[in-house]
Amino acid sequence: MAVLVMMETLSPLERAVFVLHEVFGFSFPEVADAVDRTETAVRQLGSRARRHVRLRDRRFEPDRRQAREITERFLAACLDGDVEALMAVLAPDVTMWADGNGHAETPRVPLHGATAIAEYFASTAGRYPAGLVVHMHKQYDGAPAAVLTTPAGVFAVVTADVDMADGLPRITAVGAVRNPEKLGRVPAGR
């Protein structure tokens, strides 16, 4: 998931250059031929992509208590469909990735922006199964997380990447797993 999040920050052309040169080891002239650009342009794209990846690594790390509190507020607002509360904890340029593998209701493409994500959760409020319980975990897949369970088992795993946005710690990325094949491996209890 972390690699997908990182790659999503790059433009499609930057992504292609980065993967061909940095991952597969193709020379810049070979990459230039593959993407139909000049070698100079490809070198610039590669430099820009590496800079974006490095900047992604140098992020503000809130203390765990703060990250957990924001994640809890986010989940409560999601379950209630509270758009105002969601907008208070989401960074303006937040992105949400969801994996339902066609078996569960989730967005089929990443959602970008606080408004789009808040509207999505407002539209799903009240449609959650009875007996839904939220179990907070310190981390899951490298981010503050919650496992949502019902009497029937694990309903979802939600991760929140908390970073500094507008001078305040806010959620900059959300991951939601509803894929039954993946959830079958997640312990239902705390």
Side-chain angles (χ1 to χ4, degrees):
M1 184 71 102
V3 171
L4 293 175
V5 170
M6 182 270 305
M7 293 301 268
E8 188 72 23
T9 65
L10 304 177
S11 73
L13 197 52
E14 288 172 335
R15 197 176 309 137
V17 170
F18 184 83
V19 169
L20 290 172
H21 182 70
E22 300 295 326
V23 177
F24 293 113
F26 286 93
S27 69
F28 283 118
E30 292 171 317
V31 175
D33 285 341
V35 298
D36 197 29
R37 296 287 193 272
T38 66
E39 184 179 340
T40 304
V42 166
R43 287 182 184 279
Q44 180 62 38
L45 286 163
S47 173
R48 192 177 312 139
R50 284 188 302 279
R51 186 171 54 249
H52 286 234
V53 170
R54 276 195 305 274
L55 288 174
R56 180 79 181 143
D57 288 341
R58 284 187 227 129
R59 49 181 224 153
F60 166 75
E61 291 288 344
D63 66 52
R64 288 182 184 205
R65 181 194 54 77
Q66 192 175 36
R68 181 183 174 115
E69 176 188 311
I70 290 170
T71 303
E72 288 174 344
R73 287 175 41 207
F74 167 72
L75 290 165
C78 289
L79 295 174
D80 292 340
D82 186 340
V83 173
E84 190 175 310
L86 283 164
M87 296 299 286
V89 297
L90 295 172
D93 60 347
V94 62
T95 299
M96 178 177 135
W97 291 267
D99 177 3
N101 196 27
H103 299 291
E105 181 183 340
T106 60
R108 296 196 184 272
V109 297
L111 298 179
H112 300 285
T115 302
I117 294 169
E119 288 173 355
Y120 170 77
F121 282 111
S123 74
T124 62
R127 296 189 319 198
Y128 297 103
L132 188 69
V133 177
V134 176
H135 304 276
M136 291 301 299
H137 288 259
K138 289 182 182 173
Q139 287 201 335
Y140 184 89
D141 225 8
V147 175
L148 286 67
T149 63
T150 68
V154 177
F155 176 75
V157 173
V158 178
T159 61
D161 193 358
V162 179
D163 209 340
M164 185 65 82
D166 299 331
L168 298 169
R170 300 236 181 128
I171 295 174
T172 57
V174 176
V177 178
R178 295 268 331 274
N179 182 342
E181 295 167 357
K182 293 181 180 175
L183 294 177
R185 296 177 284 215
V186 176
R190 269 188 174 259

